[in-house]
Amino acid sequence: MKKGFIFDLDGVLCFTDIYHFKAWKVIADRLGLPFDEKVNDRLRGVSRMESLRIILSLGDKTYTDEEQLAMATEKNEIYRTLLNEMKPSDVSNEVRETLEELRNRGYKLSIGSSSKNTPTILEKTDLAKYFDAVSDGNNITHSKPDPEVFLKGAQFLGLEPSECYIVEDAEAGIDAGVAGGFTTIGIGPAAMYSKTHHPISTFKDLLNYAK
């Protein structure tokens, strides 16, 4: 019997793709790399350093670890500045009403995001109040598709992986959920992924799995 839901943040509860894109584009444009929306889609659910490696692979120049770290740090500083534009209205009423109903039905809720900016996003969007626990990039050493962030989320809730649903929009997140022994629910692009256990088309469809 399921007792909890663990949610990816970006692409599931809210959308910060545009901010990531703008920040990475500043870096890519300076390096003369052909970064566009199609490449940006490849970065979904991927760690910051791995995202940078994907972008740098668009060119033929190599960079030292120190140079790459500096680029990733700059990107995050730009991104964090852009996040200040976020507000509660960036989260739909459907998402808020569904989270509230899941809580009313007795389910424990956690965030399971690889992002280190999770606290800022939760604060700006007024989402923190819905969650019993937060597992994010600030308390893990391995990003998705490693299951660590979800395993810690379940641990923080006091639940076993078999007692939790993972809600994800990215294939890397679904892979992480499967690897951790969770039941996965895919929305957006993840709804079409072959490893997704339960595809949904709208966020409120989650209530069908919360009996």
Side-chain angles (χ1 to χ4, degrees), residues 131-192:
F131 296 95
D132 303 290
V134 175
S135 179
D136 62 17
N138 295 294
N139 59 250
I140 61 172
T141 55
H142 304 288
S143 296
K144 304 168 189 175
D146 190 284
E148 181 184 12
V149 71
F150 293 142
L151 292 172
K152 287 194 172 182
Q155 178 185 347
F156 294 160
L157 291 177
L159 301 176
E160 295 296 323
S162 60
E163 297 177 302
C164 301
Y165 286 114
I166 297 298
V167 186
E168 265 285 354
D169 72 311
E171 292 185 2
I174 295 295
D175 287 340
V178 172
F182 297 87
T183 299
T184 61
I185 298 177
I187 192 169
M192 298 176 285

Side-chain angles (χ1 to χ4, degrees), residues 47 51 93 100 144 147 183 194:
S47 70
S51 294
N93 289 333
E100 191 66 47
K144 304 168 189 175
T183 299
S194 61

Side-chain angles (χ1 to χ4, degrees), residues 5 7 94-105 107 165 185 200 202-211:
F5 286 78
F7 296 85
E94 178 185 351
V95 167
R96 294 187 186 279
E97 291 168 2
T98 301
L99 293 175
E100 191 66 47
E101 181 59 25
L102 290 174
R103 290 177 62 85
N104 289 340
R105 295 186 187 186
Y107 287 88
Y165 286 114
I185 298 177
I200 59 175
T202 66
F203 195 82
K204 65 181 178 182
D205 289 342
L206 289 175
L207 297 178
N208 294 331
Y209 299 93
K211 304 301 184 182

Side-chain angles (χ1 to χ4, degrees), residues 14 21 53 113 146 196:
C14 61
F21 176 73
R53 293 185 190 101
S113 170
D146 190 284
T196 297

Side-chain angles (χ1 to χ4, degrees), residues 7-191:
F7 296 85
D8 177 45
L9 180 57
D10 193 13
V12 174
L13 300 173
C14 61
F15 297 88
T16 64
D17 279 3
I18 184 61
Y19 305 119
H20 281 294
F21 176 73
K22 288 180 178 179
W24 279 126
K25 189 156 179 60
V26 171
I27 305 298
D29 285 353
R30 188 172 68 232
L31 299 175
L33 299 174
F35 180 66
D36 56 19
E37 286 87 351
K38 187 173 182 180
V39 178
N40 193 56
D41 287 341
R42 294 169 55 192
L43 310 184
R44 298 175 68 87
V46 177
S47 70
R48 190 183 309 154
M49 292 307 297
E50 184 57 30
S51 294
L52 176 61
R53 293 185 190 101
I54 291 172
I55 293 171
L56 293 180
S57 72
L58 301 173
D60 54 12
K61 185 176 179 180
T62 58
Y63 298 88
T64 65
D65 290 345
E66 291 77 10
E67 288 173 325
Q68 291 184 46
L69 181 59
M71 292 177 200
T73 299
E74 181 185 359
K75 179 268 175 181
N76 192 51
E77 290 172 351
I78 297 170
Y79 173 66
R80 286 180 64 85
T81 298
L82 293 171
L83 284 183
N84 288 323
E85 300 175 13
M86 294 194 78
K87 49 193 179 299
S89 60
D90 287 329
V91 177
S92 70
N93 289 333
E94 178 185 351
V95 167
R96 294 187 186 279
E97 291 168 2
T98 301
L99 293 175
E100 191 66 47
E101 181 59 25
L102 290 174
R103 290 177 62 85
N104 289 340
R105 295 186 187 186
Y107 287 88
K108 293 183 177 181
L109 309 182
S110 174
I111 294 292
S113 170
S114 296
S115 174
K116 291 184 177 181
N117 296 302
T118 295
T120 299
I121 297 172
L122 292 177
E123 177 190 358
K124 290 292 183 181
T125 58
D126 193 30
L127 274 173
K129 62 187 179 185
Y130 298 103
F131 296 95
D132 303 290
V134 175
S135 179
D136 62 17
N138 295 294
N139 59 250
I140 61 172
T141 55
H142 304 288
S143 296
K144 304 168 189 175
D146 190 284
E148 181 184 12
V149 71
F150 293 142
L151 292 172
K152 287 194 172 182
Q155 178 185 347
F156 294 160
L157 291 177
L159 301 176
E160 295 296 323
S162 60
E163 297 177 302
C164 301
Y165 286 114
I166 297 298
V167 186
E168 265 285 354
D169 72 311
E171 292 185 2
I174 295 295
D175 287 340
V178 172
F182 297 87
T183 299
T184 61
I185 298 177
I187 192 169

